[in-house]
């Protein structure tokens, strides 16, 4: 898989449900309303990657009040999945784009971020940190794009490890379309996305404590096998966790004393957690 094509098509028994994207090598983040038509909460889902590969997954957690859901890829460690995409905080007045197209469509969306961040109340009644976008492609109905990632150009900050040109950070996940106030049946070209970093804060799976426990998708039906695997790699994970804790404490101290900016501190935290996640999955933690 090349570039920033981390999107995923989600199906059940061949029926298309919606989109999501690989927020890590283990989890797919999606809009909960994309899964409304699943046969059951533990249904096996088909996850088609941008390179055509299909693997299985199951809903493992949800924040229904803000319309977000997390899908765990079954046996994720057995696949050569791409590294997690870089993420960033949303910024207003920048260009955005999306590489995802619904089945049967050839139009990729792009436009401009008009307001970010915003406090947005979803149709489910919960409030999340959102991004208001305009779309250049006037399709009328954008419902098939829900759950797909929104990416923007990286911040051109002065640093020694800038993103590679093809690594456009993901800032949001498409959620809802705004409709005309004059004619509520008419869709506008204004979309709302949820901030990815705020979305990840809603799920414990991306915390240091969860990574300490092995960093794998929960598979209760194979608890004994999972415990054995975690014991075998426990030493490496504990070492990586100790190193990450030292880095995170240092970053907080440097940020508080003004040695680095908040943006630089947040980016280094993201990289540290990403490396810890890779170590927990059996890698060496380097990227």
């Amino acid at each position: 898989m090349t570039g920033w094509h981390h999107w995923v098509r989600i199906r059940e028994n061949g029926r298309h449900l919606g989109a999501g994207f690989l927020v890590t090598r283990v989890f797919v983040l999606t809009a909960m309303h994309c899964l409304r038509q699943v046969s059951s909460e533990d249904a096996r889902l088909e996850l088609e990657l941008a390179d055509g590969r299909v693997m299985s997954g199951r809903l493992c957690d949800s924040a229904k009040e803000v319309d977000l859901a997390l899908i765990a890829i079954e046996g994720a460690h057995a696949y050569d999945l791409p590294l997690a995409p870089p993420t960033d905080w949303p910024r207003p007045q920048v260009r955005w784009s999306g590489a995802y197209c619904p089945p049967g469509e050839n139009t990729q969306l792009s436009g401009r971020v008009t307001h970010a961040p915003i406090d947005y109340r979803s149709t489910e009644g919960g409030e999340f940190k959102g991004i208001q976008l305009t779309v250049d492609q006037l399709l009328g109905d954008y419902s098939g794009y829900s759950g797909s990632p929104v990416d923007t150009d990286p911040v051109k900050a002065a640093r020694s490890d800038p993103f590679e040109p093809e690594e456009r950070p993901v800032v949001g996940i498409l959620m809802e379309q705004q409709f005309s106030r004059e004619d509520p049946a008419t869709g506008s070209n204004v979309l709302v996305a949820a901030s990815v970093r705020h979305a990840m804060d809603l799920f414990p799976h991306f915390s240091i404590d969860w990574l300490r426990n092995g960093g794998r998708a929960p598979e209760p039906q194979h608890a004994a096998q999972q415990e054995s695997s975690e014991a075998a790699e426990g030493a490496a994970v504990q070492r990586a966790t100790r190193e990450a804790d030292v880095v995170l404490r240092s970053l907080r101290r440097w940020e508080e004393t003004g040695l680095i900016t908040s943006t630089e501190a947040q980016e280094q935290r993201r990289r540290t957690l990403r490396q810890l996640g890779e170590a927990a999955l059996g890698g060496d933690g380097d990227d």
Side-chain angles (χ1 to χ4, degrees), residues 189-210:
N189 71 326
V190 178
L191 305 181
V192 174
S195 165
V196 167
R197 289 195 174 175
H198 283 112
M200 292 175 69
D201 286 343
L202 299 174
F203 298 101
H205 307 73
F206 308 110
S207 68
I208 288 290
D209 287 340
W210 190 86

Side-chain angles (χ1 to χ4, degrees), residues 12-287:
E12 184 189 11
N13 297 323
R15 178 168 52 92
H16 180 69
L17 299 174
F21 70 97
L22 291 165
V23 69
T24 71
R25 280 179 162 173
V26 177
F27 297 109
V28 170
L29 184 66
T30 185
M32 187 67 198
H33 70 257
C34 291
L35 306 181
R36 283 176 182 158
Q37 303 302 315
V38 294
S39 58
S40 65
E41 286 199 357
D42 64 345
R44 176 167 291 180
L45 303 172
E46 301 151 17
L47 308 174
E48 180 186 353
L49 305 186
D51 61 7
R53 286 184 292 170
V54 178
M55 53 198 64
S56 297
R58 295 183 188 274
L59 176 66
C60 69
D61 202 355
S62 64
K64 294 182 179 179
E65 69 282 0
V66 291
D67 197 21
L68 289 166
L70 203 61
I71 298 172
I73 300 171
E74 294 185 327
H77 58 284
Y79 297 94
D80 183 22
L81 295 177
L83 291 173
T87 60
D88 201 357
W89 296 106
R91 293 168 288 130
Q93 305 308 318
V94 297
R95 296 289 300 176
W96 71 274
S97 63
Y100 175 79
C101 293
E105 291 279 354
N106 295 312
T107 303
Q108 296 180 343
L109 303 183
S110 61
R112 183 169 294 278
V113 177
T114 58
H115 299 81
I118 62 174
D119 292 324
Y120 184 81
R121 185 167 295 279
S122 74
T123 56
E124 302 298 324
E127 192 170 276
F128 60 77
K129 291 294 182 181
I131 312 168
Q132 184 172 304
L133 316 164
T134 56
V135 190
D136 294 335
Q137 297 73 27
L138 303 179
L139 304 182
D141 182 5
Y142 301 93
S143 58
Y145 293 86
S146 291
S148 61
V150 172
D151 60 76
T152 64
D153 291 328
V155 178
K156 302 298 183 181
R159 55 191 176 199
S160 59
D161 56 346
F163 294 126
E164 294 297 326
E166 69 274 13
E167 285 192 299
R168 293 169 57 88
V170 175
V171 298
I173 172 173
L174 286 180
M175 300 291 288
E176 297 181 13
Q177 177 181 5
Q178 298 298 291
F179 288 83
S180 170
R181 295 180 66 180
E182 294 181 357
D183 181 4
T186 302
S188 72
N189 71 326
V190 178
L191 305 181
V192 174
S195 165
V196 167
R197 289 195 174 175
H198 283 112
M200 292 175 69
D201 286 343
L202 299 174
F203 298 101
H205 307 73
F206 308 110
S207 68
I208 288 290
D209 287 340
W210 190 86
L211 290 170
R212 280 196 185 103
N213 292 330
R216 294 186 181 278
E219 297 180 5
Q221 67 272 30
H222 301 296
Q225 182 179 358
Q226 183 176 347
E227 289 175 3
S228 175
S229 176
E230 290 175 358
E233 61 189 23
V237 174
Q238 290 176 5
R239 183 175 65 253
T241 300
R242 287 195 299 270
E243 293 172 355
D245 283 342
V246 171
V247 172
L248 293 173
R249 285 197 300 270
S250 297
L251 287 172
R252 180 178 293 277
R253 186 169 63 253
W254 296 341
E255 181 181 6
E256 291 174 347
T257 57
L259 292 175
I260 59 176
T261 67
S262 296
T263 298
E264 292 169 334
Q266 184 59 42
E267 176 59 26
Q268 290 302 320
R269 289 189 190 99
R270 180 193 67 78
R271 289 180 176 273
T272 299
L273 292 176
R274 179 176 173 183
Q275 290 170 354
L276 178 57
E278 295 304 316
L281 290 172
D284 58 10
D286 296 327
D287 59 26

Side-chain angles (χ1 to χ4, degrees), residues 2-13:
T2 61
W4 59 93
H5 296 169
H6 296 272
W7 56 259
V8 173
R9 287 194 180 107
I10 305 170
R11 300 190 299 262
E12 184 189 11
N13 297 323

